[in-house]
Amino acid sequence: MKRVLYGAFLIISAFILPWWIPVIFSLIGIFYFDNLYEIIFVGLIIDTLYGANLSLVGLDIVFTISLTLALYVLTNVKKSLLI
């Protein structure tokens, strides 16, 4: 139940809050929950809303790629720390 509410909070916050707040909550959520794949959807929402302003070498999906990489890296770090 906590994960469902947290996922809903992340998705809603991606629509109504500045882009950096859902990113911070997504990174915190990776440590708290296992396989938090909702952050990929949050990245897509943020890219849709702010992607035209933040372009990296012609890529308009900066947040989606960065949150997916953060999910992969932080999940592996979490496993190595045995959390």
Side-chain angles (χ1 to χ4, degrees):
M1 185 67 176
K2 289 181 183 180
R3 180 176 172 148
V4 173
L5 291 175
Y6 195 78
F9 169 73
L10 280 177
I11 292 170
I12 292 169
S13 69
F15 283 110
I16 61 174
L17 296 174
W19 64 267
W20 54 274
I21 295 174
V23 169
I24 292 172
F25 285 136
S26 296
L27 296 176
I28 293 169
I30 292 171
F31 280 112
Y32 191 69
F33 298 107
D34 292 330
N35 301 326
L36 189 67
Y37 295 123
E38 291 90 347
I39 66 167
I40 297 171
F41 186 63
V42 170
L44 288 171
I45 293 170
I46 294 172
D47 281 330
T48 302
L49 294 175
Y50 302 107
N53 295 334
L54 298 171
S55 179
L56 180 66
V57 191
L59 293 174
D60 290 334
I61 53 171
V62 175
F63 287 105
T64 304
I65 292 172
S66 62
L67 286 176
T68 304
L69 284 173
L71 177 66
Y72 176 73
V73 169
L74 293 177
T75 302
N76 288 332
V77 167
K78 188 172 127 177
K79 285 180 185 177
S80 68
L81 292 175
L82 299 174
I83 295 177

